[in-house]
Amino acid sequence: MEIDNGSMDEKTKRMRDLLSSFYSPDASTSGSSMGSSNRYASPLEAINTTSFNPDQYMSILVQKSNLEGLLQKHVEMAAEIKNLDTDLQMLVYENYNKFISATDTIKRMNNNIVGMETNMEQLLEKILSVQSRSDGVNTSLFEKREHIEKLHRTRNLLRKVQFIYDLPARLGKCIKTEAYADAVRFYTGAMPIFKVYGDSSFQDCKRASEEAIAIVLKNLQEKLFSDSESIQTRAEAAVLLKQLDFPVDSLKAKLLEKLEQSTLDLQLNAEDLSSALVIGSSKDGNASESVYGASHEASVREFAEAIRAYRVIFADSDRQLIKLAQDLVTKHFDAIEQFIRKQICAADLLRVFGIIWTDVLLLGEVLNDAGLPDYSLKAAQVAVKQYVTCTFSRLLQDISDALAQVHTRKKEEGVQEYSLQLALEASKKAVLQGSMDVLLDFRQLLEDQSGLTISQRDSIVDWVQEGFQDFFRALVDRFMLLSGKNSSFSQSQVLPEATQAEKVVAGLVLVLAQVSVFIEQTAIPRITEEIAASFSGGGTRGYEYGPAFVPAEICRMFRAAGEKFLHLYINMRSQRISVLLTKRFRTPNWVKHKEPREVHMFVDLFLQELEAIGSEVKQILPQGTRKHRRTDSNGSTTSSRSNPLREEKLNRSNTQRARSQLLETHLAKLFKQKIEIFTRVEFTQGSVVTTAVKLSLKTLLEFVRLQTFNRSGFQQVQLDMQFLRTPLKEIADDEAAIDFLLDEVIVAASERCLDAIPLEPPILDKLIQAKLAKAKYQNPTSP
């Protein structure tokens, strides 16, 4: 296989050399190149070169090969010769058509060239004839042409001379018509002539022209410094002065000062914006607002053109002009900051943004290197964030105002106190509807496609979510402050004067508790849905800080706050009752108490306080279900710890009766079923009232345990507690606990009594019925 591959390579090489020698334009060159390339080849390999020596080749071949090798070489060479003949024949056949076509082409070229020399000779003769005639015409007209050109030069010179002589009159006409640009153009055109001939031929004309130009300079300077002239007119005057070689560099500071003063008229004013937008909300508001925007835009365009002219006059003034434009944009956003502090909506803010963005684009066309769009975008980002913050602050204040209405008191006789229910509804509306309005307002910022807000969508989403998180945290703090539980801030910051002058109203605390429950159960889920629908995304907040809005955390905060407010309300009401009980039990001398003749008046005050609690909770809390209601209560005047032995003890002596009653009390404590007095307070009417009653009775019990009673004092306590048994069972849900606590009070009084002899049941019932009749007489409308 290696031998065959080697023979094929040699064959291919020989075929290539053959074709190259055939198509080579110079056979000697081809041969010499082949010879040079094979100069150092062996004689056996020189068979394909022009320097091939057959005798040497055969002698070497005979020496190196045997008979079989020679025969094999003979067969190979015969096959190669045959192949070469075949390839050469095919090569000739393939190029035969090309040879015939080339031959035909050469024949046609010979036929076409035959008559061309005659035609070329005729064309040359005609060209020479035209040239001779043209030279004759030029020769005959040469003198006249020279004379015409001389007259033309004379005419132009006379025109220039006439222009110089007419220049003073022309300048006078320009001064009268205030066409100072034409006057400057005429004078600068005549300056080359005045420089050459001004001191000789045209001396008078030069003097008159200079006098006229002096007037022009004076008038241009007056225009430049005139406050009544527009900025564009003053800029044109500066350009003309510069063309007259007037030292305008000294005017640079003064003109820049004029531009700075003009920016004062272009600044946006919060009051003007407010009035324009207020008019914009009326019927003809769009027209009025468009007029305001059009006039402002026209002023800015004039200012931009003045800056353009200033740059032309003073090429090195870009830094001052850029600072001037940036200061104008900064003052625009300062006006927006004051504008945002007022109660505005997103639509008003976007309209003001549109005015500022138009100003930025107009100034950016003149000051391309100022970077005003990026500068204004950063300032707009700060303004939008401030708007979001101020909006949440106003929402917080609206909720505080709604809650502060609870403090409204009657000032005239017959005017009822502000209803807690109305305050609750107003607060719920302020929280939920206010939050929805805020989200709707912020959605306009997201949907706006103007230049200042289109790139802030992610930032706005993050700000809104963070704003709600911070808003609800601040709302919890505000609730704590209103309830009197937070002393980190002065109440004068948030509460009106009427609130500062008095203590926190218990009804307000109850409203705060229910509002906290409403926010946890209703407001937060609704706001979360709206945020997920319209304010999802964001991304400018780092992932390491976690999500901006965490509803679960807010719900936990308000759940804890609601429970705290509910307990605070119960404690506040219980403290009022505690003050009443303190006066009742610490004022009289119980050891010298007189025999009871009626139920004491403190019972009425005690029931009034409980009725006030019931009235407030009915306005705020749901009714709920009544618990621990017993059906076997028969209104017995005996204690729940008593047993049938009690009737026998009444007939014994005082000493035996007291000793037996004490023994009976301890036995009852051992065998009576334990009752759970204080349970978890729920957000229902019955739970709150019941808890308040239990706390009051427990307080009353402690006061009783601290006193020492005689028989009459003990009987008075027995009468009062027995009278309270029925109304308290109607008010509270847990009858068992009420009975237990009332019995505890009576037993404690007996334990602290020097002579514990209770009232007979008939006497007890008689005194109670007398109290009921008296109460019915005093208040016939009561049941």
Side-chain angles (χ1 to χ4, degrees), residues 535-548:
F535 295 89
S536 59
T540 58
R541 177 185 174 93
Y543 290 101
E544 64 273 11
Y545 298 105

Side-chain angles (χ1 to χ4, degrees), residues 166-178 183 208 212 215-216:
D166 295 339
L167 182 60
R170 289 174 181 268
L171 294 178
K173 291 181 181 179
C174 292
I175 293 173
K176 291 180 180 180
T177 58
E178 296 186 355
I215 297 174
V216 171

Side-chain angles (χ1 to χ4, degrees), residues 234-294:
R234 295 199 297 266
E236 292 176 356
V239 173
L240 295 177
L241 288 173
K242 189 175 182 181
Q243 292 177 2
L244 293 174
D245 295 332
F246 188 84
V248 294
D249 291 338
S250 61
L251 306 176
K252 181 177 180 180
K254 295 182 179 179
L255 189 57
L256 183 62
E257 184 179 356
K258 293 286 184 181
L259 288 175
E260 292 176 352
Q261 292 178 357
S262 65
T263 57
L264 299 177
D265 299 330
L266 297 177
Q267 293 178 16
L268 297 177
N269 189 284
E271 296 181 358
D272 295 340
L273 288 174
S274 300
S275 60
L277 294 176
V278 167
I279 296 175
S281 61
S282 60
K283 294 181 180 179
D284 299 333
N286 293 331
S288 175
E289 184 181 345
S290 62
V291 170
Y292 175 80

Side-chain angles (χ1 to χ4, degrees), residues 31 204 469 553 560:
D204 296 336
Q469 189 77 13
E553 179 183 352

Side-chain angles (χ1 to χ4, degrees), residues 45 53 86 91 127 133 200 204 365 400 506 617 653 662 727:
E45 295 178 354
N53 189 350
T86 303
L91 182 64
I127 290 174
R133 292 181 180 180
S200 58
D204 296 336
E365 293 177 357
S400 299
V617 298
S653 62
L662 183 61

Side-chain angles (χ1 to χ4, degrees), residues 18 35 73 144 181 189 272 275 339 410 453 458 462 535 564 574 598 601 686 717 721-722:
L18 179 62
K73 193 66 175 178
K144 294 181 179 180
D272 295 340
S275 60
F339 185 56
K410 56 183 179 179
T453 56
D458 292 340
D462 288 340
F535 295 89
K564 184 181 296 185
S574 299
E598 62 177 356
M601 63 177 296
V717 172
M721 296 304 104
Q722 193 62 35

Side-chain angles (χ1 to χ4, degrees), residues 419-438:
S419 173
L420 294 180
Q421 185 177 3
L422 295 179
L424 176 63
E425 295 301 327
S427 302
K428 288 181 178 180
K429 183 178 180 182
V431 172
L432 184 57
Q433 188 61 41
S435 299
M436 292 298 105
D437 293 341
V438 165

Side-chain angles (χ1 to χ4, degrees), residues 562-622:
E563 294 176 354
K564 184 181 296 185
F565 292 142
L566 193 62
H567 287 91
L568 177 61
Y569 170 76
I570 295 173
N571 291 335
M572 292 174 68
R573 281 300 186 182
S574 299
Q575 287 175 2
R576 290 175 59 89
I577 297 175
S578 178
V579 172
L580 176 64
L581 296 176
T582 301
K583 294 179 180 179
R584 169 68 183 115
F585 285 95
R586 290 185 179 179
T587 302
N589 187 354
W590 290 99
V591 178
K592 299 180 180 180
H593 200 279
K594 296 181 180 180
E595 183 179 353
R597 298 186 178 276
E598 62 177 356
V599 178
H600 197 271
M601 63 177 296
F602 107 90
V603 174
D604 297 332
L605 299 177
F606 179 68
L607 292 177
Q608 288 177 6
E609 291 293 336
L610 296 179
E611 289 176 359
I613 297 174
S615 176
E616 289 178 348
V617 298
K618 285 180 181 178
Q619 298 181 62
I620 303 301
L621 301 177

